[in-house]
Amino acid sequence: KQSTSRDYLTYEDFIFFMLSEEDKANEFSVRYWFACVDVDGDDKLNNMEMRSFYAVQLHRMQCMGHEVVPFEDMLCQMMDMIKPANTEHLVVEDFLQTHCSQVSGALFDALFNVNKYVMFEQRDPFLERQKREDEFDTDWDRFACIDYNRLAMEEEQREEEALEVDWVTMDEEEEDGDEYNAMGLSGSSEAPF
């Protein structure tokens, strides 16, 4: 297989990234993010690899004024949720266990997306229960529906604003036309005198 290096994402790459970012619970996403963290390519995530990514998120947490969660605390919490076969490292199969489907993304959020990680840390148990019981099968389905509705509302608002501008313009034209007609200059077939 030929390796091609490029400095851009294709549309297909972007879609794959968006799917992986918004739904970290599916196997393709897990494998994608796992490969991103596995910088040495040994098919194992060790503390050093994870710590290097988390250091960037720690800095961002500090800059944003969020409570800083030390790496050791984050890792301990994730290991408790994932329950890996070997506590020295994580393998992709650890994330694909049935009990990990909804929490596997939390580790990748902690390493790559500080906003989602902070949301995970501050989650409301009642909202989490509602999320588990809603109509959506995946996080991607939920994201797509919410974003579609947001875009539809924005479009509707733009259309309403455009209509308001049209009405204002029409009202001004009618007022101008009334003055013009009052002087008997246009719009009437009868003579002004």
Side-chain angles (χ1 to χ4, degrees), residues 162-172:
L163 283 175
E164 287 174 13
V165 169
D166 286 348
W167 282 110
V168 169
T169 305
M170 287 179 67
D171 289 345
E172 288 174 1

Side-chain angles (χ1 to χ4, degrees), residues 89-101:
H89 60 266
L90 295 166
V91 294
V92 75
E93 289 77 16
D94 293 330
F95 294 96
L96 299 175
Q97 300 174 76
T98 307
H99 72 273
C100 280
S101 66

Side-chain angles (χ1 to χ4, degrees), residues 51-189:
R51 185 182 300 271
S52 66
F53 285 96
Y54 193 70
V56 176
Q57 301 309 317
L58 273 176
H59 178 72
R60 291 185 70 210
M61 280 186 243
Q62 289 170 336
C63 290
M64 296 168 76
H66 291 297
E67 179 184 350
V68 175
V69 180
F71 174 76
E72 292 75 15
D73 294 350
M74 180 278 298
L75 187 61
C76 182
Q77 179 186 22
M78 297 302 156
M79 293 298 237
D80 287 347
M81 290 189 315
I82 295 170
K83 299 175 181 57
N86 184 332
T87 57
E88 296 298 312
H89 60 266
L90 295 166
V91 294
V92 75
E93 289 77 16
D94 293 330
F95 294 96
L96 299 175
Q97 300 174 76
T98 307
H99 72 273
C100 280
S101 66
Q102 293 304 312
V103 295
S104 61
L107 174 63
F108 298 124
D109 283 336
L111 301 178
F112 292 103
N113 190 327
V114 74
N115 293 328
K116 286 188 178 182
Y117 177 60
V118 168
M119 284 175 38
F120 172 78
E121 281 293 303
Q122 298 172 350
R123 67 195 179 277
D124 179 350
F126 296 109
L127 291 177
E128 285 298 307
R129 189 169 130 226
Q130 284 179 336
K131 187 175 158 183
R132 283 192 303 271
E133 295 172 356
D134 69 15
E135 63 190 271
F136 304 107
D137 294 330
T138 66
D139 288 337
W140 173 256
D141 293 340
R142 185 177 298 102
F143 166 78
C145 181
I146 290 168
D147 221 41
Y148 175 83
N149 288 333
R150 179 186 61 80
L151 290 169
M153 285 174 44
E154 287 175 7
E155 179 65 23
E156 187 175 313
Q157 185 176 7
R158 277 193 299 275
E159 288 174 0
E160 286 175 5
E161 288 171 359
L163 283 175
E164 287 174 13
V165 169
D166 286 348
W167 282 110
V168 169
T169 305
M170 287 179 67
D171 289 345
E172 288 174 1
E173 287 174 2
E174 285 177 8
E175 288 172 9
D176 291 345
D178 290 345
E179 291 172 13
Y180 193 60
N181 284 338
M183 296 187 320
L185 300 174
S186 173
S188 173
S189 59

Side-chain angles (χ1 to χ4, degrees), residues 42-59:
D42 67 352
D43 294 330
K44 298 175 186 171
L45 301 186
N46 60 48
N47 288 357
M48 193 171 81
E49 289 170 320
M50 291 185 281
R51 185 182 300 271
S52 66
F53 285 96
Y54 193 70
V56 176
Q57 301 309 317
L58 273 176
H59 178 72

